[in-house]
Amino acid sequence: MARRVLMAEAVLVGGLALAILIREIPGLMREVRIWRMAGYRSGARHPR
């Protein structure tokens, strides 16, 4: 019985996380595009 409750909770939390991720994808894509236009390459900047 406890295992079934645990599985149900895991499915619920996983579904919620997936829904949030899907909702945030357009904003993340926009941010990545902005970073590329700004010229940041994986955070590695050349020291001057």
Side-chain angles (χ1 to χ4, degrees):
M1 184 68 182
R3 177 173 261 174
R4 192 176 294 170
V5 172
L6 251 161
M7 283 295 291
E9 285 183 2
V11 168
L12 193 69
V13 169
L16 191 65
L18 193 65
I20 290 169
L21 186 67
I22 287 170
R23 204 177 135 218
E24 293 296 323
I25 282 174
L28 289 171
M29 296 299 272
R30 190 170 60 239
E31 297 250 353
V32 167
R33 203 172 297 129
I34 290 167
W35 290 338
R36 280 193 187 154
M37 281 195 296
Y40 296 116
R41 296 275 181 238
S42 70
R45 292 190 203 166
H46 298 292
R48 296 184 179 217

